[in-house]
Every structure is written in structure tokens, then in C-alpha cells.
Amino acid sequence: MEQMSSTRLASGHEVVHMSEEWLARMGQDQTLYNNGMVRLLPDGWLYPTLFTEYAERIYNFKFRSSDVVVMTMPKSGTTWMQEVVWTMLHNPDLNHPLAGEPIYHRSPEIDLDMILDGKGLEGVSIDHFIKAFHEVCPGRKIEDGMAFQMCELMPDPRVMKSHLPFALLTPHILEQTKVIYVARSPKDVVVSYYYFFRVMKLFTYTGTFESFVKHFMNNDLIYTPYWPHVKQAWQRRDHPNMYFVFYEEMKSDIMTQLRRLNDFLGLNLTQKQLDNVAHQSSFNSMKERGEPIKDMEAFIPDKHKKFGGYFRKGIVGDWKNHFTPELEQEMNQWIEKHASEIGITFK
Ligand code: A3P
């Protein structure tokens, strides 16, 4: 049972607080949030309750024409695209002094503040993040939202990350700025998300892979549902300020994507500079430079060692190593139903 509250967000969404029963059931194999979670109707987005405190400011956020927003469902290649775009805009000659800083310092996430209420983060130091906040936002207060204020005060051209869908951002976003959307096959997304849930103290998932996949398909994991998120981007794919790309396309030919992005962003980078970007954003090079979150305490050490963190495998088709035939069949049906409704075909 979910309880209806009377709150309506600026985006028009109705806020539904997840019931004690739901929280207890989901809390059996993962760590949740101090103030519970909400679902936003009609789409069904599932977020920590803290989101509602930021929702209006995020919805009214003023984007600039020089901004680039990297929008994704988690585990779809967000960090990769952020590194690509930030390097294209700020570091094509590989000489930027901030290039070694964690990605959240160079490319903040507009919705990150809502997860800082995670029970799994209690006792975890986020000192690097706080330091980055003070560097970008001198004199600003932590309690006013670190990531949100970093988005506000980043020097132009800003590269921002959003796991929020179009529906929760200003409806004028594509008139105001450029959006790059990365979509990834849901089977690989769910595998990547599963390991992320296992290695992060924020989630500490202890259930089976099979039940995780079911939670994903039932829209019972933070940031789900998957389909409306992809759909809202797919419907806008032909807008001149929109760049829609599949993770699988980036994997199969990154240089073609870099050339297209060069045009999309109006940059005129040389081939040498594009080669630099390809090198700097390659899986091995990013992995060697280390985790995008420097606060390593956020990971469960032995799990991180065993499974990897943000840079796990970086391949297409790892789902084949995880699905039983029955589970595969079930997910295939789910994918076929939704993908055909949307008219999208995964690469
Ligand atoms: P896997 O867990 O399948 O390896 P996000 O940044 O949205 O959280 O996505 C993380 C996924 O992108 C992880 O997938 C990670 O390994 C992969 N990834 C990160 N950097 C990459 C890169 N440079 N090239 C290819 N894949 C990358």
C-alpha cells in the first residue's frame, strides 16, 4: 500500500510516500533512506523523499545556451559521456589543471543532493565532495544543496549530469540548452546496476540477481522506471539541441560519435584533439586514473576489490553471463512490450 499525500510538484507530479510495508520489504536486502522514499505520479519515478525539497529549484533551474546536460538512466555510460564532453569542451589538448579532479567537481549532477540522506552513507566521509563544493561555491552553505549550487556556479561552459528525466526539468530545456542522452540496453544496465548496488555502502544490496532484476522491472529501484525515462528522450531525438546515442554505438565506433559530437557542440576540434579525447575517455585510461568519486569509503572494500566500482567491465553483452534462460525470457518479453510501444530498437 502506498499513501497518497496532497503534495503536487512544480512539474505537476503527485507525490506518493512509499508505505511502511514497502520500506520494510525493500529494506530487507538493501539500505534505504532516512526519510523514506516517494513515487511521483503519473510516471512513477522513485526517489528518496529528500528529492521533494529540491524539486522546485531543479524544475526552475535556468540553463544557458552554452551548457551541456548529460542525461541518462544510471549505469548507461553517464561518466563516460561526461568525460567525453568535458574533455572536448575544456581539455582537448590534455593540459587542463583540473583534469585529474573527480568528475563531480568538473561536471556536477543536478539531482545528487537527494541521495545524501542515504542510511548507508552514515559515517561515510564525503570530505572530497565537500572540498570540491567549497572550491566551486565559496561562501555558500552545504545545507542549501551542494551539487545543486555547484551546477549554478560552475564556470561556463557547464557540463552537468542528470539522472532526472525530461518530465522533472523545465519543459523549455531544449530551447535553453543542449542535451545529450545516452541509452543502454536494459539487460546490461540491470547487470551494471546490480553490481553498483552491491559495492556501494549507499545501497549494500544483499539479495539475489534474480530478485534485483524483478525489482528493476517492477520499478522498485531508485531512479526507475526505465521506460518512460528513455521514451521522453527518444521522442525528442530529432530536436536540433538533442543528441541521442546508444552506449553500444559509442562502444562500436567512438570516433564517429566524437566527430558527430564535434559538430553538435559546434567545436571545430582537430583530428589530433579528437584523438586526445578518445584516449582520455577510453575505459582503460579512465580506470587507471581512478574512481570518479574519490571518497573511496563510499564503497564496501572487499566487494569493490572483487567486482570493481564505476569502471567494472565496460563491455556490451555482459548480461549473457548473468541471466538464466527463464529470467532472460521474462526480461525479453518486458523489453519487447515496452520497446515496441516506444518504437525504439536497441543496438
Ligand atoms: P559496467 O558495469 O557494465 O562495466 P554510469 O557512468 O552511467 O554509472 O555507467 C557505468 C557503466 O559504464 C559501467 O558499466 C562502466 O564500466 C561503464 N563505463 C565507464 N566508463 C567507460 C568507458 N570509458 N568506456 C566504456 N564503458 C565505460
Side-chain angles (χ1 to χ4, degrees):
M1 274 277 289
E2 296 170 0
Q3 287 150 14
M4 206 69 155
S5 103
S6 57
T7 321
R8 194 173 280 278
L9 301 178
S11 59
H13 289 82
E14 188 82 30
V15 178
V16 173
H17 289 268
M18 302 310 284
S19 67
E20 291 301 324
E21 184 277 324
W22 185 93
L23 293 168
R25 185 159 41 84
M26 297 307 293
Q28 277 170 9
D29 53 18
Q30 62 176 285
T31 309
L32 296 174
Y33 299 84
N34 283 316
N35 292 304
M37 295 188 81
V38 291
R39 210 184 270 294
L40 309 183
L41 299 182
D43 307 294
W45 315 114
L46 183 69
Y47 301 130
T49 303
L50 188 55
F51 171 73
T52 56
E53 282 182 33
Y54 291 99
E56 186 156 351
R57 285 161 75 198
I58 293 177
Y59 187 76
N60 291 320
F61 187 83
K62 293 273 172 296
F63 294 97
R64 301 183 197 128
S65 57
S66 55
D67 293 337
V68 182
V69 177
V70 175
M71 184 190 285
T72 59
M73 274 299 283
K75 314 322 288 175
S76 299
T78 332
T79 320
W80 185 13
M81 185 55 92
Q82 284 174 283
E83 192 62 78
V84 163
V85 177
W86 190 86
T87 307
M88 290 182 93
L89 290 175
H90 294 278
N91 193 28
D93 297 316
L94 304 185
N95 55 5
H96 196 293
L98 290 183
E101 291 298 326
I103 196 77
Y104 57 63
H105 189 158
R106 298 176 281 129
S107 168
E109 176 177 354
I110 197 156
D111 46 291
L112 186 78
D113 294 304
M114 71 177 173
I115 64 158
L116 297 180
D117 178 36
K119 288 182 191 167
L121 288 181
E122 280 167 12
V124 171
S125 153
I126 52 166
D127 289 351
H128 283 95
F129 183 50
I130 293 173
K131 183 167 164 275
F133 165 68
H134 287 309
E135 276 171 31
V136 179
C137 308
R140 292 283 187 114
K141 292 192 203 131
I142 290 178
E143 55 274 23
D144 291 337
M146 288 192 278
F148 182 83
Q149 294 184 89
M150 284 169 84
C151 285
E152 285 184 317
L153 297 192
M154 283 311 279
D156 292 333
R158 304 181 292 187
V159 181
M160 288 170 278
K161 159 179 169 180
S162 170
H163 283 323
L164 298 182
F166 273 100
L168 296 174
L169 300 172
T170 167
H172 307 295
I173 188 166
L174 288 175
E175 290 144 40
Q176 294 175 356
T177 195
K178 291 186 164 61
V179 176
I180 299 176
Y181 191 93
V182 187
R184 188 181 191 188
S185 150
K187 282 196 237 169
D188 279 339
V189 165
V190 79
V191 170
S192 185
Y193 212 15
Y194 166 73
Y195 284 108
F196 199 57
F197 261 70
R198 292 202 63 177
V199 302
M200 297 291 292
K201 285 185 184 163
L202 177 63
F203 305 119
T204 56
Y205 181 74
T206 52
T208 63
F209 175 69
E210 183 170 354
S211 32
F212 189 84
V213 174
K214 303 230 161 139
H215 292 332
F216 185 73
M217 290 195 288
N218 289 334
N219 307 325
D220 276 339
L221 297 175
I222 180 171
Y223 301 110
T224 60
Y226 175 89
W227 292 108
H229 201 289
V230 173
K231 179 181 175 184
Q232 291 175 9
W234 182 246
Q235 286 172 331
R236 291 163 171 82
R237 69 191 181 283
D238 294 328
H239 191 288
N241 267 348
M242 177 81 186
Y243 189 96
F244 189 105
V245 65
F246 291 96
Y247 175 93
E248 293 78 9
E249 291 176 306
M250 292 170 71
K251 279 298 292 185
S252 78
D253 185 354
I254 189 65
M255 192 47 74
T256 295
Q257 294 307 325
L258 295 184
R259 291 201 184 109
R260 284 182 58 204
L261 282 166
N262 200 14
D263 291 343
F264 175 71
L265 299 170
L267 290 175
N268 291 320
L269 298 185
T270 63
Q271 184 58 49
K272 169 82 179 95
Q273 289 175 317
L274 294 181
D275 289 341
N276 287 345
V277 175
H279 171 76
Q280 184 77 355
S281 63
S282 74
F283 182 81
N284 288 340
S285 164
M286 286 177 70
K287 186 167 177 142
E288 234 166 63
R289 291 202 301 279
E291 287 297 339
I293 39 178
K294 287 270 182 277
D295 299 285
M296 288 301 288
E297 274 186 48
F299 295 102
I300 303 166
D302 59 323
K303 298 267 188 320
H304 183 269
K305 202 163 165 216
K306 189 162 166 201
F307 301 125
Y310 265 88
F311 307 107
R312 197 182 59 89
K313 286 194 179 172
I315 60 170
V316 172
D318 192 33
W319 65 267
K320 290 179 192 145
N321 301 315
H322 294 82
F323 280 73
T324 60
E326 296 74 34
L327 191 60
E328 185 191 340
Q329 201 189 4
E330 198 180 327
M331 197 163 186
N332 281 347
Q333 283 170 359
W334 181 76
I335 293 172
E336 274 156 31
K337 173 177 176 289
H338 290 282
S340 63
E341 268 169 31
I342 296 176
I344 190 172
T345 311
F346 285 90
K347 305 283 167 191

